[in-house]
């Protein structure tokens, strides 16, 4: 079969692959603990489910405007005002079929072949793939735990070329959990505005932050920056609604209009029932979010401490999200490592390590190379305290065998 050059360039999502693999092993009766999935383990709150049931019962089951129902756009505008101190007209907002779809659509309407998008690494696996699918070139800025996984204004400046269209800021980040402060974003915004490029702010983990950390979007830095930023968000992570597929974006009216045209000729509207559920999520009782974050915070402390006590592991303490990204470079120097590499024979060390942990510890983790750095792997702690506890014991056991 002949396939398009476009699709042949795209690698399958490693996070979805890990989730599928652990589901397969579980179905075979193998006791695999899965730390791959990027979704909260909590059920969708009852008030949100009730709103969906009500939508079905009252016949809200037909096509809607392709860019979303006005009620949801209003709920999104109210949410931006309430939580982010950002003012958007309804014409500056569009609803998409999940946060992933928001970024995909944005790349499709912004990029011509060869246009560049700056993406700090470690990055969410789909940012470079969706850039390439639109004919763009991802320009990666490497960061590591020593730099708190953040890019500096100098690094940003040095990566900008006449082909640069945008820079992606994902704070808190998937996979590191690192998040930028207001002042750090302000410093980046000066470079962005001077260069005349667009900021794309993926704020999907905004409500999952810990301790004293205060979330700010780069759109908050100034009115000029608000106008120069496309803010992407969704209900998947904050309200445990990953399967409902509702994302949204806000920003320049002309861009929003183009995304609406694209959506009208591709997916059409996001599911009508999910849209009514999202209205309730964004405007109903918000206490469920704080409850989930409390549980995530407890797990974060437990996991970071546990991972840091495993030989060869060095784990950054995340400001937000439900991921940790431990550095395991030292493990690659352990006496038993040679045998692991020989056995799994993968081009990437983090992939060999993940395969080893799956076989030896029956723990599914995602190799760091999928996020742009082979010296790390990702664990999602959006799973029960019991599974995390058991997982840490198993991972420690497998790593100690390599000493
Ligand atoms: N942005 C980031 C950084 C993510 O990690 C994810 C999900 O993993 C998304 C966007 C998209 O989420 P969804 O498409 O489920 O709304």
């Amino acid at each position: 079969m002949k396939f398009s050059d476009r699709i042949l360039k795209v690698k399958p999502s490693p996070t979805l692959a890990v989730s599928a693999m652990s589901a397969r092993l579980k179905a075979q009766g193998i006791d695999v603990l899965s730390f791959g999935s990027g979704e909260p383990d909590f059920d969708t709150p009852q008030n949100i489910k009730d709103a969906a049931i009500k939508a079905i019962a009252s016949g809200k089951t037909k096509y809607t405007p392709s860019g979303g129902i006005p009620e949801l756009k209003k709920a999104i505008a109210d949410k931006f005002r309430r939580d982010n101190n950002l003012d958007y007209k309804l014409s500056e907002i569009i609803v998409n079929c999940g946060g992933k779809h928001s970024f995909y659509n944005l790349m499709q309407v912004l990029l011509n072949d060869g246009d560049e998008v700056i993406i700090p690494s470690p990055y969410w696996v789909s940012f470079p793939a969706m850039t390439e699918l639109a004919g763009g070139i991802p320009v990666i800025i490497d960061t590591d735990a020593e730099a708190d996984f953040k890019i500096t204004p100098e690094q940003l400046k040095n990566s900008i070329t006449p082909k640069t269209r945008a820079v992606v800021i994902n704070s808190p980040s998937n996979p590191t959990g690192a998040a930028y402060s207001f002042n750090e974003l302000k410093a980046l915004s000066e470079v962005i505005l001077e260069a005349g490029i667009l900021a794309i702010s993926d704020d999907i983990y905004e409500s999952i932050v810990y301790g004293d950390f205060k979330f700010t979007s780069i759109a908050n830095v100034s009115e000029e920056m608000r106008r120069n930023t496309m803010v992407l968000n969704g209900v998947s992570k904050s309200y445990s609604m990953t399967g409902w597929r509702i994302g949204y974006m806000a920003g320049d009216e002309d861009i929003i209009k183009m995304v609406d045209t694209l959506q009208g000729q591709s997916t059409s509207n996001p599911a009508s029932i999910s849209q009514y559920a999202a209205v309730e999520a964004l405007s109903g009782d918000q206490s469920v979010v704080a409850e989930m974050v409390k549980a995530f915070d407890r797990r974060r402390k437990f996991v970071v401490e546990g991972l840091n006590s495993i030989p060869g592991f060095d784990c950054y303490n995340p400001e937000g999200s439900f991921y940790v990204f431990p550095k395991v470079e030292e493990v690659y120097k352990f006496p038993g490592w040679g045998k692991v590499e020989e056995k799994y024979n993968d081009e990437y060390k983090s992939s060999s390590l993940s395969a080893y942990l799956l076989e030896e510890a029956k723990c599914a983790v995602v190799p760091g190379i999928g996020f742009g750095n082979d010296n790390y792997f990702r664990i999602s702690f959006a799973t029960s305290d019991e599974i995390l506890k058991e997982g840490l014991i198993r991972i420690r056991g497998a790593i100690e065998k390599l000493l």
Side-chain angles (χ1 to χ4, degrees):
M1 180 64 73
K2 193 165 161 34
F3 291 104
S4 69
D5 295 342
R6 255 184 338 275
I7 191 63
L8 291 175
K9 257 204 252 165
V10 177
K11 293 185 222 79
S13 158
T15 50
L16 295 184
V18 168
S19 303
M21 187 166 57
S22 50
R24 225 174 17 249
L25 291 172
K26 272 185 204 159
Q28 290 167 20
I30 299 168
D31 167 33
V32 173
L33 303 179
S34 184
F35 301 103
S37 167
E39 65 182 351
D41 56 319
F42 304 103
D43 200 3
T44 302
Q46 193 58 44
N47 61 319
I48 298 174
K49 288 184 182 175
D50 288 343
I53 293 165
K54 194 170 154 211
I56 296 173
S58 57
K60 305 268 174 46
T61 53
K62 302 291 174 68
Y63 290 135
T64 76
S66 61
I69 53 174
E71 296 94 312
L72 181 50
K73 288 190 183 178
K74 184 174 178 309
I76 292 166
D78 291 346
K79 178 259 173 229
F80 274 123
R81 228 166 279 127
R82 177 190 71 209
D83 297 350
N84 308 103
N85 200 23
L86 291 171
D87 250 307
Y88 292 106
K89 294 183 283 186
L90 298 200
S91 56
E92 292 173 313
I93 293 170
I94 187 162
V95 187
N96 315 107
C97 310
K100 193 178 259 183
H101 191 223
S102 308
F103 190 81
Y104 179 86
N105 281 352
L106 191 55
M107 292 299 97
Q108 291 293 329
V109 305
L110 285 181
L111 302 183
N112 280 314
D113 284 351
D115 282 349
E116 296 174 358
V117 178
I118 297 174
I119 302 174
S121 160
Y123 44 72
W124 177 39
V125 293
S126 300
F127 288 140
M130 292 192 278
T131 303
E132 287 183 332
L133 267 171
I137 299 173
V139 173
I140 307 298
I141 304 182
D142 283 317
T143 73
D144 57 20
E146 287 68 44
D148 290 338
F149 296 115
K150 292 177 200 171
I151 59 168
T152 62
E154 291 70 35
Q155 282 177 307
L156 178 58
K157 200 170 183 172
N158 293 336
S159 305
I160 294 172
T161 75
K163 285 271 182 196
T164 308
R165 290 300 317 277
V167 55
V168 178
I169 305 288
N170 173 215
S171 167
S173 143
N174 173 6
T176 66
Y180 290 87
S181 69
F182 179 86
N183 284 338
E184 287 163 341
L185 292 170
K186 191 163 185 297
L188 292 177
S189 77
E190 281 159 20
V191 177
I192 291 169
L193 289 172
E194 195 190 317
I197 63 171
L198 196 66
I200 300 173
S201 187
D202 182 334
D203 298 353
I204 202 145
Y205 296 102
E206 72 163 316
S207 56
I208 307 171
V209 292
Y210 307 114
D212 296 335
F213 185 81
K214 286 264 170 298
F215 167 81
T216 340
S217 174
I218 197 162
N220 286 119
V221 162
S222 62
E223 175 52 23
E224 195 183 3
M225 206 48 215
R226 187 195 71 84
R227 280 189 266 109
N228 195 59
T229 303
M230 295 304 294
V231 176
L232 276 50
N233 209 323
V235 296
S236 294
K237 316 287 179 177
S238 301
Y239 303 97
S240 206
M241 290 177 72
T242 44
W244 299 71
R245 313 309 303 135
I246 297 290
Y248 54 87
M249 72 176 116
D252 182 88
E253 203 168 355
D254 292 334
I255 297 179
I256 295 292
K257 223 183 266 171
M258 288 298 180
V259 171
D260 201 0
T261 303
L262 173 66
Q263 203 154 285
Q265 293 286 30
S266 50
T267 54
S268 290
N269 62 275
S272 59
I273 301 153
S274 298
Q275 291 190 61
Y276 285 97
V279 171
E280 174 62 22
L282 293 171
S283 43
D285 177 16
Q286 299 295 303
S287 64
V288 287
V289 183
E291 271 166 41
M292 280 199 288
V293 173
K294 208 166 133 195
F296 288 144
D297 197 16
R298 186 181 64 239
R299 297 170 187 176
R300 168 186 72 122
K301 287 176 187 142
F302 175 75
V303 168
V304 170
E305 207 181 298
L307 288 171
N308 272 329
S309 71
I310 294 175
F313 279 35
D314 188 5
C315 186
Y316 178 85
N317 191 10
E319 280 89 16
S321 83
F322 39 65
Y323 309 107
V324 280
F325 204 55
K327 189 172 198 168
V328 286
E329 204 177 0
E330 289 304 308
V331 174
Y332 304 154
K333 299 174 191 157
F334 285 179
W337 176 252
K339 282 220 175 79
V340 174
E341 281 221 289
E342 204 179 296
K343 179 164 184 191
Y344 297 103
N345 194 25
D346 197 284
E347 184 184 348
Y348 297 107
K349 289 183 165 65
S350 60
S351 301
S352 293
L353 180 64
S354 300
Y356 172 71
L357 290 178
L358 187 61
E359 187 169 344
E360 186 64 34
K362 304 283 181 288
C363 286
V365 303
V366 190
I369 191 64
F371 307 95
N373 199 319
D374 204 26
N375 291 330
Y376 298 79
F377 70 86
R378 191 190 81 174
I379 280 190
S380 161
F381 56 85
T383 188
S384 74
D385 296 37
E386 295 70 39
I387 290 178
L388 287 169
K389 195 168 165 197
E390 173 64 17
L392 285 175
I393 293 170
R394 291 192 196 179
I395 292 172
R396 170 189 295 283
I399 296 297
E400 283 178 348
K401 281 192 184 161
L402 304 178
L403 281 171

